[in-house]
Amino acid sequence: MRALSPQTTGFLLLLFTACGWGFAWPSMKFLVGEMPPLAMRAWPAMVGAGVLATIALAAGESLAVSRAVFPRLALAAFLNVACWMGFSTFALLWLSASEAAITCYTMPIWTALLAWPVLGERPNARRVIALLIGFAGVAVLMLGQGVSLGVAKLPGVLLTTGAAVTFAIGTVVTKRWPLALPPLTSAAWQVGLGGAPMLLASLLFERLDPGAISTTAWALLAYSAVIPLCLCYAGWFAALRRLPASAASIGTLLAPVIGVCVAALTLGEPFGTREVVALSLTLGGVVLAVRG
């Protein structure tokens, strides 16, 4: 049987990651009504890190991290996990999910701007067109739902922009200075270290009543821990090893589009021609970016 090329493998990993993160949007929308926001993100992150560590050990990987590597590992965890989850979660205090997604998923722009001087990834015409097509899909989806970004929502816009910029910096840093760690070990440490500050803040400032959490919410928490915060982060770092940083970041545009499609099926939200066009445009842009 013919082995898949690194490019094809990277695309499949990226598709899996985007789908898993996309499915998480409806889950978060449900959970935020039952749990404090920090707890909703922190506890699944810690469980996800534990699952990743268990899988890593079962695969024969060592969880040991040298003193020389740990500072870069901590920086990557801070940028890729802590800032992204923290900023995007608090932004929802000022913004709707659609409004937050528009600014959060500007990350491909920031990644492309940073990848040029840091990684030497000069944006060619194909990748620029792919980025525009991908954003067109997100715009068709999000702007059709009605978005109003006024002065009152400025804190949320600043937080989501911060999430996008820090994730882009984390993407470029991870690509430019790869961690000398096995892939599952790297993902386990990053998710665990990134979730730890949120867990500490939740314990200090939030009140969580486990008895008030419904069975459905517990199931969604389990999903959040195993898929978006465990397997998807592992898939993202694996895809990043095989694809240019700018191309991989364009793939994340699939997440909000898939999230809306799933919300239509699970939460009864609208789904029609606009959603089909959005998904087709975004997927087309991702395929074009990966091939370019």
Side-chain angles (χ1 to χ4, degrees):
M1 184 175 178
R2 185 178 179 182
L4 296 176
S5 67
Q7 185 182 58
T8 301
T9 302
F11 172 73
L12 293 175
L13 288 166
L14 190 60
L15 186 61
F16 168 78
T17 299
C19 287
W21 283 346
F23 274 63
W25 282 79
S27 300
M28 288 173 56
K29 187 171 183 177
F30 182 89
L31 287 171
V32 77
E34 294 205 14
M35 296 180 64
L38 287 173
M40 178 190 72
R41 304 303 297 272
W43 285 108
M46 303 313 294
V47 173
V51 173
L52 277 169
T54 301
I55 296 173
L57 290 173
E61 294 185 4
S62 171
L63 295 177
V65 178
S66 68
R67 290 185 179 180
V69 171
F70 192 82
R72 286 193 294 119
L73 175 64
L75 175 62
F78 176 73
L79 295 170
N80 289 321
V81 182
C83 288
W84 170 257
M85 291 200 305
F87 290 159
S88 60
T89 298
F90 278 109
L92 293 174
L93 297 175
W94 289 273
L95 304 176
S96 69
S98 296
E99 292 164 344
I102 288 175
T103 43
C104 273
Y105 285 92
T106 58
M107 68 184 69
I109 294 178
W110 303 108
T111 303
L113 291 174
L114 292 168
W116 189 353
V118 177
L119 303 176
E121 293 183 10
R122 187 182 182 91
N124 57 35
R126 182 192 292 264
R127 202 159 290 154
V128 171
I129 293 171
L131 182 60
L132 293 175
I133 292 174
F135 268 114
V138 176
V140 166
L141 177 73
M142 298 301 178
L143 296 179
Q145 296 186 358
V147 173
S148 174
L149 298 177
V151 175
K153 297 183 178 182
L154 182 60
V157 174
L158 292 176
L159 284 167
T160 48
T161 301
V165 172
T166 51
F167 192 88
I169 295 172
T171 298
V172 172
V173 166
T174 301
K175 188 72 176 179
R176 177 64 179 84
W177 295 281
L179 296 168
L181 293 172
L184 292 173
T185 296
S186 176
W189 273 102
Q190 288 193 58
V191 173
L193 289 173
M198 298 187 70
L199 177 61
L200 178 60
S202 176
L203 293 173
L204 290 175
F205 302 112
E206 293 180 338
R207 182 178 179 274
L208 178 64
D209 181 8
I213 300 175
S214 67
T215 302
T216 300
W218 281 115
L220 291 176
L221 282 171
Y223 168 80
S224 298
V226 175
I227 305 299
L229 291 169
C230 176
L231 300 182
C232 286
Y233 261 109
W236 167 250
F237 295 132
L240 199 57
R241 291 169 183 256
R242 295 166 172 83
L243 299 172
S246 54
S249 66
I250 291 174
T252 61
L253 291 174
L254 278 172
V257 180
I258 290 172
V260 169
C261 295
V262 174
L265 296 173
T266 58
L267 302 177
E269 295 188 358
F271 185 83
T273 303
R274 177 165 53 85
E275 285 74 19
V276 173
V277 170
L279 183 58
S280 300
L281 283 171
T282 309
L283 183 59
V286 172
V287 172
L288 186 63
V290 173
R291 292 182 60 187

